[in-house]
Amino acid sequence: MKGILAIYRREMGSYFVSPIAYVVIGAFLVAAGLVFWIILSNVIQYAMMAAARQQGMPQDIDVPGQIIRSFVGFVGTYVLPILTPMLTMGVYAEERKRGTMEMLMTSPISETQIVIGKYLASLSFLCVMLSPTLIYYLIIGMYSDPPLPWRIVWSGYLGLFLLGAVLLAVGAFISSLTENQIIAGVVTFVLFLTLLFIDLSVGNSGTALGESVKYLSILQHYQEFSQGVIDTTNVIFYLSGILLGLFLTLRSLDSMRWRRA
């Protein structure tokens, strides 16, 4: 446990020493704020037009629910896959380039502790990045009628966290394969872009292949969280993806040790 904490503290310190962390958080908050404002404006405008068509009669438009579903759905589908490679590209690649990976691997800290410590630090950074966006809901919650459905908010953010956790685990594995963090970032970005393209391509496909691809898509499993539904199947799917990413990273470090022996 001490080894994991030592790696965790070291990684968190390195995140906030590097300007990349501030660039990623700043870019995420600007993009999230802009998306939230556009969605809020469009949904309110649509609700007002619907009310005008019905001459002021009550209408069944769940404005707060639509805003939450649209926002967390957009962030999870488009924003996180684009920004995550910037977080993971240097996790192992930069250590290998500087030669500090050898020092870590010859220290009393095991490879498992290194992988878990680095991964927990990246998860913490993800939480730091996501948490300011909850302010949006606190603000609209003060003026919302009907009351804001916080169940959908928490479900959507659980989905964002699990999706981000899988992307971080996959990105860390790719970073462990190279000494060049630019290559790691580009490969991770292209992989996530390919997953998004495949997901959009088979969105309405009724074929067996399309259904199989949809089941394996990390983005498809995320959609139910943004609808306020927490299905244990989806939770297990994401946890399996996280464990697979960490296992492959651990094997990559083992391979590195044997190659240098």
Side-chain angles (χ1 to χ4, degrees):
M1 192 65 189
K2 288 183 180 178
I4 294 175
L5 283 176
I7 294 295
Y8 175 82
R9 289 171 183 160
R10 179 174 176 273
E11 283 299 304
M12 288 302 290
S14 66
Y15 270 130
F16 290 98
V17 166
S18 165
I20 291 178
Y22 298 98
V23 170
V24 171
I25 291 178
F28 174 76
L29 292 180
V30 169
L34 183 61
V35 168
F36 192 85
W37 177 76
I38 292 173
I39 291 172
L40 180 64
S41 301
N42 288 339
V43 173
I44 290 178
Q45 185 178 11
Y46 176 76
M48 292 176 66
M49 290 173 63
R53 282 197 299 270
Q54 298 179 20
Q55 298 181 341
M57 297 293 290
Q59 20 90 28
D60 296 326
I61 299 178
D62 180 12
V63 174
Q66 283 194 15
I67 293 171
I68 296 167
R69 285 189 286 272
S70 300
F71 177 70
V72 296
F74 188 90
V75 170
T77 305
Y78 299 103
V79 180
L80 276 187
I82 291 174
L83 291 181
T84 304
M86 296 180 68
L87 289 179
T88 59
M89 63 183 187
V91 173
Y92 293 98
E94 186 65 14
E95 297 262 18
R96 294 180 62 174
K97 182 182 177 182
R98 292 179 177 175
T100 51
M101 200 67 216
E102 287 80 357
M103 294 172 61
L104 272 181
M105 297 183 71
T106 54
S107 69
I109 301 174
S110 68
E111 284 91 348
T112 303
Q113 291 172 322
I114 294 172
V115 170
I116 294 176
K118 283 178 172 289
Y119 183 67
L120 290 179
S122 63
L123 279 183
S124 300
F125 188 88
L126 176 67
C127 293
V128 170
M129 192 172 74
L130 290 176
S131 56
T133 59
L134 287 170
I135 296 173
Y136 307 152
Y137 301 106
L138 293 175
I139 294 174
I140 65 171
M142 291 189 294
Y143 304 99
S144 176
D145 184 18
L148 198 68
W150 284 100
R151 179 180 60 83
I152 299 180
V153 174
W154 298 127
S155 169
Y157 273 73
L158 174 62
L160 279 180
F161 176 77
L162 290 173
L163 173 63
V166 174
L167 296 177
L168 289 172
V170 174
F173 166 62
I174 294 173
S175 179
S176 71
L177 299 175
T178 177
E179 295 182 357
N180 189 320
Q181 61 173 325
I182 301 299
I183 292 177
V186 170
V187 171
T188 308
F189 179 73
V190 170
L191 174 63
F192 292 167
L193 203 62
T194 304
L195 291 176
L196 175 61
F197 177 75
I198 292 174
D199 183 75
L200 295 175
S201 301
V202 301
N204 297 318
S205 173
T207 64
L209 177 61
E211 292 300 319
S212 300
V213 173
K214 284 172 65 176
Y215 179 76
L216 295 174
S217 167
I218 55 177
L219 297 177
Q220 285 290 330
H221 287 264
Y222 162 75
Q223 296 300 327
E224 290 191 9
F225 287 99
S226 64
Q227 301 295 324
V229 178
I230 301 177
D231 189 333
T232 52
T233 304
N234 296 326
V235 175
I236 292 172
F237 177 85
Y238 281 125
L239 292 179
S240 302
I242 293 168
L243 290 176
L244 178 63
L246 296 180
F247 174 78
L248 292 175
T249 306
L250 188 58
R251 294 282 71 81
S252 176
L253 295 193
D254 277 342
S255 171
M256 195 188 312
R257 178 189 290 275
W258 284 107
R259 284 199 305 271
R260 295 178 185 277

